[in-house]
Amino acid sequence: MEKVYGFTHHSFFSEMSQLAHEHNSYDLSLGLADFDIDIRLKEFLKEAAGQSTHHYESAAGNAMLIRNIIRFNGLRQNSIFLSEAEVTITPCATFTLYTALKCILDAGDEVIIIQPSYYTYGPSVVLNHGVPVFYDLEDDFTVDWEKFASCITKKTKAIIINSPHNPTGKLWSESEWKHLAGLIGNREIYLISEEIYDTYCYNESGHYSAFLHPELRKRCFCIFSFGKMFHSTGWKVSYLLAPEDLTLKFRCHQQYISYSANAPCQYAIARYLEVFDPNENQQIMRKKRDLFYELIQDTPLVPLPKAEGAVFQVVNFRKVSRTMTDVEFSKWLTIEKKVSCLPMSAFYHARQDSDYIRFSFAKRDGLIINALEHLKNNLLH
């Protein structure tokens, strides 16, 4: 596979979905929802078209949207209280992570990336002249803090963490953030916390943001995505929380890269946040998670414990094949058994195999039912 910026696996995410399309397979490979957005969100976009929202917004973002983000975060189960100087509207989460790194990295600085991780993290570090340092989670996808601490050196400048986690669905708890803060201590190490699945947390404690920890907050770029929240990824609107000094640095860099995000969509999202119920959104996705988990029990695929958050379920496939790599199995499942997934090795920098594949349950119930029924009938025979 061709390397880009020294990395491979970048194409798996589109390749598996394309294979599903070519072979008329049920596509559970990507986290993109296959159901429509809320009709009210569409109406607010129509409303935006009739407003004077067709020019650049400020680098900070639409003022109404910023106010409503502050209100939304204050109403969370674990409330995040914010000022306007700590909120910036951005074009997307990938852009936001790249630009946050640009604010803090000098050539040769090290950035710790916890694997499995999304494929853009490493290249974003390299593009900013940093050095990725990869830490692999344990077999049960938990952190071994002693091993993690050994990754921190004098050159460490940042740590990238994703919670709720893609692909495992695990959540970082308050105690884990405390542990991380203790490891960092008073060193100049920044935290980039990607929390784009924040409204999809299924345990009683709910989403606990890195921005809630008083010490981490001082050095944190916290990234959220309206595209994931509202199933509107094509709108390209996200937002960043950061302390005022880091916000000023971020906006300075953003003005030279994108300046601002989509103005009509910012207006529509601002209006929609006034009526949006995150609990309703969460319950819809929780039911899809539970439906997927119930039905996969009838197949020889063995799921890990239910996802605590996000929209993915990790599954062990070794009862079906002891010899295929996870890439080979994923392609075989897509082409021969007509259900698409992603190999876990796609979420690692240099791993060629694993025992796991990842499915997305951010799909219509009918697709989930038909796909799992198909696997039940075709993997057991």
Side-chain angles (χ1 to χ4, degrees):
M1 182 178 294
E2 179 187 3
K3 287 192 174 184
V4 178
Y5 305 121
F7 294 85
T8 58
H9 295 154
H10 59 277
S11 67
F12 273 126
F13 295 81
S14 55
E15 181 182 346
M16 298 308 298
S17 190
Q18 181 63 30
L19 275 179
H21 177 73
E22 291 174 359
H23 295 274
N24 197 29
S25 302
Y26 299 106
D27 191 359
L28 301 180
S29 64
L30 300 183
L32 300 176
D34 67 344
F35 45 88
D36 205 359
I37 64 174
D38 191 328
I39 186 64
R40 294 174 296 178
L41 193 52
K42 291 183 178 181
E43 292 301 321
F44 289 132
L45 187 59
K46 292 178 183 177
E47 184 179 307
Q51 306 290 322
S52 56
T53 58
H54 304 286
H55 301 291
Y56 297 122
E57 279 290 356
S58 70
N62 179 289
M64 176 171 59
L65 178 54
I66 290 173
R67 289 194 300 271
N68 286 345
I69 286 171
I70 292 171
R71 176 181 173 275
F72 173 80
N73 278 278
L75 293 174
R76 289 181 185 272
Q77 180 179 344
N78 298 305
S79 300
I80 307 173
F81 297 108
L82 301 162
S83 69
E84 292 184 2
E86 295 173 309
V87 183
T88 304
I89 312 305
T90 66
C92 67
T94 299
F95 166 92
T96 310
L97 182 138
Y98 170 85
T99 307
L101 288 167
K102 185 164 285 296
C103 293
I104 57 177
L105 291 188
D106 294 318
D109 284 344
E110 294 179 350
V111 179
I112 298 173
I113 299 172
I114 296 176
Q115 294 189 131
S117 65
Y118 195 55
Y119 74 99
T120 60
Y121 293 177
S124 291
V125 173
V126 171
L127 284 168
N128 282 292
H129 310 291
V131 178
V133 174
F134 296 100
Y135 165 77
D136 289 2
L137 292 171
E138 297 301 292
D139 291 341
D140 61 353
F141 300 112
T142 58
V143 177
D144 181 315
W145 289 105
E146 186 175 346
K147 290 181 182 178
F148 184 85
S150 70
C151 295
I152 301 175
T153 71
K154 292 180 180 179
K155 293 184 178 181
T156 303
K157 196 62 170 290
I159 300 169
I160 301 175
I161 292 173
N162 171 216
S163 176
H165 187 233
N166 175 14
T168 69
K170 287 189 172 293
L171 304 179
W172 273 58
S173 65
E174 180 180 5
S175 63
E176 287 170 307
W177 291 123
K178 285 181 179 178
H179 205 126
L180 178 65
L183 285 181
I184 295 174
N186 294 320
R187 286 178 276 195
E188 188 188 357
I189 297 176
Y190 295 90
L191 172 63
I192 299 177
S193 182
E194 191 181 66
E195 303 180 14
I196 62 176
Y197 294 103
D198 60 305
T199 54
Y200 304 117
C201 297
Y202 312 116
N203 58 9
E204 291 184 0
S205 59
H207 177 63
Y208 197 92
S209 173
F211 217 63
L212 288 170
H213 190 283
E215 291 304 315
L216 293 178
R217 181 172 179 144
K218 297 174 184 176
R219 60 182 77 184
C220 185
F221 296 89
C222 203
I223 303 169
F224 298 86
S225 169
F226 290 118
K228 299 299 185 185
M229 189 187 300
F230 302 147
H231 318 299
S232 58
T233 52
W235 287 28
K236 304 296 282 185
V237 181
S238 296
Y239 70 97
L240 172 74
L241 306 183
E244 187 172 354
D245 60 329
L246 294 183
T247 295
L248 289 172
K249 287 184 179 181
F250 184 93
R251 291 178 185 175
C252 179
H253 285 286
Q254 175 168 273
Q255 71 174 322
Y256 297 120
I257 307 174
S258 72
Y259 188 72
S260 60
N262 185 310
C265 289
Q266 287 192 58
Y267 175 91
I269 290 168
R271 295 280 284 114
Y272 185 61
L273 274 178
E274 296 170 356
V275 298
F276 173 66
D277 182 357
N279 294 319
E280 180 180 337
N281 225 30
Q282 182 226 55
Q283 288 303 316
I284 290 171
M285 202 62 72
R286 181 201 295 270
K287 289 178 181 177
K288 292 181 182 297
R289 179 202 65 168
D290 293 346
L291 174 65
F292 179 94
Y293 203 85
E294 176 187 352
L295 295 178
I296 204 161
Q297 308 292 332
D298 296 328
T299 79
L301 298 172
V302 180
L304 269 62
K306 279 185 182 180
E308 298 171 333
V311 296
F312 309 107
Q313 181 64 49
V314 174
V315 171
N316 188 307
F317 65 88
R318 288 302 178 195
K319 279 191 175 182
V320 180
S321 174
R322 305 295 301 179
T323 58
M324 283 190 274
T325 66
D326 61 352
V327 173
E328 292 168 341
F329 183 85
S330 297
K331 292 182 177 180
W332 173 80
L333 196 72
T334 301
I335 296 170
E336 301 296 332
K337 299 303 178 181
K338 306 300 182 185
V339 178
S340 183
C341 62
L342 280 182
M344 185 62 77
S345 61
F347 296 87
Y348 289 83
H349 171 48
R351 181 173 291 191
Q352 303 303 315
D353 192 16
S354 77
D355 295 334
Y356 302 103
I357 54 177
R358 188 206 76 175
F359 291 103
S360 168
F361 51 79
K363 307 297 178 183
R364 289 174 288 110
D365 289 356
L367 178 63
I368 295 172
I369 292 168
N370 290 335
L372 273 294
E373 183 70 18
H374 193 77
L375 288 182
K376 173 184 174 182
N377 294 334
N378 287 275
L379 287 182
L380 291 175
H381 298 93

